[in-house]
Amino acid sequence: MSTDLHEPDLALHVEDLTVSYHAKPVLWDIDFDIPPGVMAAIVGPNGAGKSTLIKSVLGLAPPIAGHVTLFGRPYKAIRKRVGYVPQRSSVDWDFPTTALDVVTMGLYGQLGWCRWPGRRERARAMDALEQVGMQAFAQRQISQLSGGQQQRVFLARALIQNADIYFLDEPMAGVDAPTERAIVNILRTLRDAGKTVIVVHHDLQTVRSYFDWMLILNVRVIAQGPVEEVYTAENLKRAYGGQIALLDSVLASDTGAKS
Amino acid sequence: MTLMALLGDYTLQNVALGALFLGLISGVLGSFAVLRKQSLLGDTLSHAALPGICLGFIVTGARHMGSLLLGALFTGTLAALLVMALTRYSRLKTDAALGIVLSTFFALGVVLLSYIQGTGNAAQGGLDAFLFGQAAATLRSDLWVMAAITAIALILVGLCWKEFKLVCFDPGFASTQGLPVLLLETVLTVMIALAVVVGLQMVGVVLMAAMIIAPAVAARQWSRRLEVMVPLAAVFGMVAGLSGALASTLGRGLATGPLIIIVVSLLVMASLLFAPGRGLVWSWLLRVRQRRELHHQHVLTTLHRLASRHDDHAFYAEQGLLEGVHGTAVRPALKVLAQRGMVTLSTQASRQPRYWQLTLEGQQEAERILMAVEQGGASS
């Protein structure tokens, strides 16, 4: 088994990954690595394939070519060590269930078939809710939570798994400022505990303050590495191309911060 | 007929038991279908059962319940898998796929039905009863089949409860938990075909969809958790089934199936209207109350503005003036505000027209409202 390990020193190793819906490639020949213990941002313009990249790593979007290893193993072999926070908009929040119940869902994989979650699982779910500051909302119907609260519930559902590597798809999209701060703090705690955190992020302004590693994506890999090396005007221009207005403001604040 | 005689009636017993099984299974399985936004799947699958029934008859040449239901299950499952494949691998959206499969299979069924009727086989008599159901023809042996199917479905749901729940709520996350999502979705879909088979004899292929959708929709109105919704849907289904069966017996042989559907539709209507929190009447009342409250606040702040404009916190505002601003609806509003001690009528009762004055409490309340509005916060 251990002889099969491929790049075991990397938290995530992606080689030659190509994914397409119908004829158009969404991701083209992606090669990238993420070392363990970093907080990494995946950035890129709309349609760059950021979410697809995560889904493909997790086996949710089948690739045409390429392979992926996490800690040297294929995803299926270490699924229990991988946590996932999907986009909040990917589910119907009118589903009849409570916040606590949603968090408990993070244990369904470990629980195994034919077993109902019991008191121990509920206690663990309560702990996870407390980590994200949502214990007061445990019995709240999920449709009655605000966007930020729903996002925290999703985060708690991933935390409860106690994984080694976490994938989060736009966790800061459409949440209020306190929630964004709370989420960033939780993610930092995870990283400081040696876990690897990989986040699809849409806000270029905050990349440098939140993350220490980044991948710039636009169907192909534009740049990757430590944020201070990769976050350059040239790289961002290559990725974002036409969206000049957006870039100008970001780069303006960029030079302003440096001078 | 007395109640005892009713309960002793052999046909009624069969019909009632069949209706109970039908309500139970369709309520439980329909809940999952409705939550997966596949309400119309039941409609497609039940229509797709018709060619199966005909095939079952053609193959065996007789009207054996077992073979007919087996045929129905076969074509129903085929239709279900076809819908899944179409939505997965073609560019068709779910509604289009459901519609196409429904009409194709149903047309095939009607063609086969007319073919069988043309052969002059005497045994085919009453095959078309499956269109609208013929509950009175339910036999003890049919009940055993229905009971067995219901038991299988319930056991499956009980064993895979959390798996089904997660697949309905968040299939992507279910997959990362190691659940075989495609398999679970297929099982859920095929089980709808099972429910349809149970319902064929009772309500027929045309109305079966309502049995899948209605109890679940009604139960959703009253429940906040899946663990409540599913049993409640089963109860609604059974209540509808039983009352439909009883009504049909009391009503001199009115068609049982359609009666069951009418009862369950009434349950849906009542739930949509009156369920606390989600019901239309409920939210309408809430809106009326909120609007009235807002109106009171408006009147209060108008008085406050008038007072501060005249630099006199004890300013008396003429009622006609207020009516000019807020319309005659200001009268009940002032009355309520007076009851709450926010405003007082001029002490000179003889004074005509009437004059209103803010009390100290009303003044503070008005200032609080204005402050809240300015900060953009909630004003209650």
Side-chain angles (χ1 to χ4, degrees), chain B residues 76-100:
Chain B
T77 308
L78 200 66
L81 297 179
L82 200 58
V83 169
M84 285 181 81
L86 277 176
T87 44
R88 217 177 163 83
Y89 299 113
S90 83
R91 292 191 178 205
L92 281 187
K93 297 275 178 283
T94 309
D95 57 344
L98 285 169
I100 286 173

Side-chain angles (χ1 to χ4, degrees), chain B residues 23 26 42-43 63 97 116 165 171-172 182-183 205 217 228 263 265 269-270 294 306 327 366:
Chain B
S26 53
D43 204 18
R63 207 166 167 270
I116 292 170
K165 180 163 79 175
L182 187 60
L183 178 69
V205 300
V217 168
V228 178
V263 173
S265 306
M269 260 190 278
L294 214 58
L306 285 170

Side-chain angles (χ1 to χ4, degrees), chain A residues 37-86:
Chain A
V38 300
M39 197 162 142
I42 300 177
V43 301
N46 287 333
K50 305 181 294 281
S51 292
T52 307
L53 179 58
I54 284 193
K55 285 189 179 144
S56 189
V57 167
L58 299 176
L60 298 174
I64 290 176
H67 79 240
V68 174
T69 56
L70 298 120
F71 304 107
R73 301 236 180 101
Y75 168 69
K76 280 207 168 114
I78 66 155
R79 183 162 45 213
K80 286 185 178 152
R81 292 169 61 192
V82 183
Y84 173 44
V85 180

Side-chain angles (χ1 to χ4, degrees), chain B residues 315-328:
Chain B
F315 177 74
Y316 281 100
E318 191 192 327
Q319 185 166 314
L321 181 66
L322 293 170
E323 281 172 14
V325 179
H326 293 290
T328 49

Side-chain angles (χ1 to χ4, degrees), chain B residues 141-333:
Chain B
S141 56
D142 302 342
L143 285 181
W144 281 112
V145 177
M146 293 163 85
I149 294 176
T150 307
I152 291 172
L154 289 185
I155 289 170
L156 259 177
V157 168
L159 285 179
C160 303
W161 177 267
K162 70 177 192 303
E163 284 80 7
F164 285 147
K165 180 163 79 175
L166 187 47
V167 161
C168 290
F169 175 60
D170 192 348
F173 188 78
S175 166
T176 67
Q177 289 287 299
L179 301 184
V181 174
L182 187 60
L183 178 69
L184 287 166
E185 282 182 341
T186 310
V187 169
L188 274 178
T189 305
V190 170
M191 282 203 301
I192 300 286
L194 282 180
V196 166
V197 164
V198 170
L200 285 180
Q201 176 79 35
M202 303 295 303
V203 299
V205 300
V206 176
L207 290 175
M208 186 54 208
M211 242 3 242
I212 300 278
I213 303 170
V217 168
R220 176 69 189 97
Q221 289 293 106
W222 302 92
S223 53
R224 290 148 32 97
R225 293 171 54 88
L226 191 64
E227 285 75 9
V228 178
M229 175 182 167
V230 172
L232 195 58
V235 169
F236 281 160
M238 290 192 287
V239 166
L242 207 55
S243 22
L246 284 174
S248 144
T249 311
L250 295 173
R252 301 196 185 96
L254 293 178
T256 312
L259 275 174
I260 294 177
I261 302 300
I262 289 174
V263 173
V264 82
S265 306
L266 289 177
L267 280 175
V268 169
M269 260 190 278
S271 305
L272 287 178
L273 285 175
F274 302 116
R278 296 175 71 89
L280 289 174
V281 170
W282 183 276
S283 53
W284 177 74
L285 282 176
L286 193 71
R287 217 167 31 235
V288 167
R289 202 180 313 145
Q290 283 169 342
R291 194 173 299 168
R292 199 183 301 145
E293 195 53 43
L294 214 58
H295 184 62
H296 294 165
Q297 294 183 353
H298 269 152
V299 173
L300 209 56
T301 51
T302 303
L303 276 168
H304 181 263
R305 211 167 32 227
L306 285 170
S308 54
R309 194 168 297 161
H310 290 83
D311 221 5
D312 170 18
H313 63 85
F315 177 74
Y316 281 100
E318 191 192 327
Q319 185 166 314
L321 181 66
L322 293 170
E323 281 172 14
V325 179
H326 293 290
T328 49
V330 82
R331 291 176 200 170

Side-chain angles (χ1 to χ4, degrees), chain A residues 1-192:
Chain A
M1 185 81 180
S2 58
T3 53
D4 295 342
L5 290 185
H6 183 66
E7 303 284 2
D9 298 333
L10 292 170
L12 176 62
H13 171 67
V14 175
E15 216 172 285
D16 303 334
L17 186 74
T18 298
V19 181
S20 86
Y21 297 134
H22 304 295
K24 195 165 166 267
V26 183
L27 293 171
W28 183 255
D29 201 17
I30 303 283
D31 290 291
F32 78 96
D33 299 317
I34 290 179
V38 300
M39 197 162 142
I42 300 177
V43 301
N46 287 333
K50 305 181 294 281
S51 292
T52 307
L53 179 58
I54 284 193
K55 285 189 179 144
S56 189
V57 167
L58 299 176
L60 298 174
I64 290 176
H67 79 240
V68 174
T69 56
L70 298 120
F71 304 107
R73 301 236 180 101
Y75 168 69
K76 280 207 168 114
I78 66 155
R79 183 162 45 213
K80 286 185 178 152
R81 292 169 61 192
V82 183
Y84 173 44
V85 180
Q87 275 184 29
R88 184 162 55 86
S89 58
S90 66
V91 305
D92 176 10
W93 289 91
D94 198 36
F95 196 87
T97 187
T98 59
L100 186 74
D101 202 38
V102 170
V103 177
T104 316
M105 290 176 185
L107 293 172
Y108 283 7
Q110 301 172 16
L111 209 51
W113 288 89
C114 302
R115 288 191 46 208
W116 285 53
R119 192 172 303 153
R120 235 188 57 214
E121 282 73 27
R122 275 197 296 279
R124 282 183 63 184
M126 207 61 202
D127 285 346
L129 272 178
E130 212 168 323
Q131 277 185 63
V132 298
M134 285 284 294
Q135 63 276 29
F137 299 89
Q139 295 305 328
R140 186 73 70 88
Q141 167 98 25
I142 56 171
S143 61
Q144 288 165 1
L145 298 173
S146 73
Q149 291 168 336
Q150 291 173 348
Q151 192 65 59
R152 289 185 201 210
V153 169
F154 256 21
L155 184 57
R157 184 178 69 168
L159 290 177
I160 199 173
Q161 271 180 270
N162 202 10
D164 292 322
I165 181 166
Y166 286 92
F167 291 88
L168 299 93
D169 200 345
E170 303 243 12
M172 271 82 115
V175 305
D176 49 275
T179 299
E180 178 159 337
R181 268 197 306 278
I183 290 175
V184 169
N185 284 335
I186 292 163
L187 297 182
R188 281 187 179 139
T189 315
L190 288 174
R191 178 200 53 198
D192 295 344

